[in-house]
Amino acid sequence: MPEHLSVNEAQQRIIKKLKPGLIEEVGLIEAPGRVMALDAKASIDLPAFSNSSMDGYALRAEDILNASAENPVTLQVIADIPAGKSPEITVDAGQAARIMTGGKIPEGANAVVPVENTDQADKFFHIELGREVKIFKAAKHGDFIRSRGQSVRAGEVVLPSGKVLTPQDIGALASLGISRVQVYQRPKIALLTTGDELVPPGEPLESGKIYDSNSFMLAAMVEQYGGQVLRLGIAPDKPKSIRQRLELAVSMKADLILSSAGVSVGTYDFVKTVVEESGELDFWRVNMRPGKPLAFGNYRNIPFIGLPGNPVSAFVGFLVFVVPAIHRLAGLNETIWPRIKVRLEHPVESDGRETYFRATVRKKNGQYLASLKDHQGSDNLVGLTRANTLLIIPSGVKSLAIGSEVDAWLLGSMEFA
Ligand code: AMP
Ligand code: MG
């Protein structure tokens, strides 16, 4: 095994070992953010019946071929068709039916003239139906008619498997009368935090200790990207404690075990050793910055990803490796990052590894300008909160001049200047 894998190779190796989990059926209320496990097909046409897209009059286009404001055509009004009613009339030559938006087009009619183009514009809100209407404008066949099946045909695939359900998808399913969908189960991600120095926030901080930030941040990220968190708690730096918690993950049937810290080369970095006792490590170093110590393998056949302990490195490692892993387990077909091209506001040095720099990007004169100032230190989470992008400096690049164009992942909102 090569000493240091490239980021891409490491990502591929992880993805290859993972596959989506079981399928479950959920109602539309629980469906947002879930991933379709089967194609959803329409069982009805949409619209299900031809209907009016305007408030106006349904009529026969051939009756009003020469209608104009100077030469209006007078038609006999034979019915009123509000939305939700099924008209039981036929519009014959010389006739029209008052119709509301969404109203069903009656037999015989083939066009709608909006009320604005009739003499009824200021009387339309009257419940009583006038006996006649004067039409001021000609119409073509199909004008202002949403015809049956023009949006969707029965049998058509409306949402493919692998799609994350957005609010508009949920609305589309509802419009087709679909109330339940087959989705993948949300992958269960067991979260192990290790370190003798860690104290939960809310408790007093003794000398030499730090607050555990990773377990909170990583749990939030697991939720954000579609997983369910199984909390294994904080393990002290002792093989026995680490082993106990990994066994807990096995008994909880985790789909992926995620650990923070303890995978480097420190004297007390026991996570790697414990994983290797009951599983194997595929790799534990990636040629990237931050986050070189990044382990992947399995513990009793449950995939395992060991993130670095430094919070910013853990954050970046999560985005680069764990997000695609969760997506794969969750049934998504791919991970797409919202990314933009930005220009450096100052020169940047790198060390040749693929590097993810925290930066602040702002828009000025139509360009995205990136500044790396104020965000140093892989322990500085508050600095990370002030950054709105991660700049990606490709491997092999050691310096970039001011004005160079760089890829950036969007993390937060951008200040427009
Ligand atoms: P390690 O990977 O154990 O060498 O840890 C690297 C650095 O990350 C050390 O400074 C740790 O104190 C810090 N660290 C480890 N775990 C956490 C955590 N859960 N929250 C905040 N910092 C941590
Ligand atoms: Mg440690």
Side-chain angles (χ1 to χ4, degrees), residues 194-197 237 261-262 268-269:
T194 67
D196 284 340
E197 72 276 38
D237 288 316
Y268 304 98
D269 288 341

Side-chain angles (χ1 to χ4, degrees), residues 213-236:
S213 49
N214 287 352
S215 76
F216 292 89
M217 175 179 69
L218 297 174
M221 294 176 94
V222 167
E223 294 277 347
Q224 182 179 356
Y225 292 100
Q228 295 178 69
V229 184
L230 306 177
R231 286 175 184 278
L232 303 176
I234 301 174

Side-chain angles (χ1 to χ4, degrees), residues 339-351:
R339 63 168 76 207
I340 54 172
K341 293 261 183 218
V342 301
R343 286 196 184 280
L344 297 176
E345 282 199 275
H346 49 79
V348 167
E349 301 292 317
S350 187
D351 68 358

Side-chain angles (χ1 to χ4, degrees), residues 38-71:
L38 297 175
D39 292 348
K41 282 193 185 155
S43 60
I44 55 171
D45 288 340
L46 269 191
F49 53 89
S50 297
N51 67 85
S52 178
S53 66
M54 295 291 273
D55 295 327
Y57 288 85
L59 43 70
R60 295 151 45 100
E62 49 274 35
D63 285 354
I64 56 157
L65 283 177
N66 300 314
S68 67
E70 300 75 43
N71 280 309

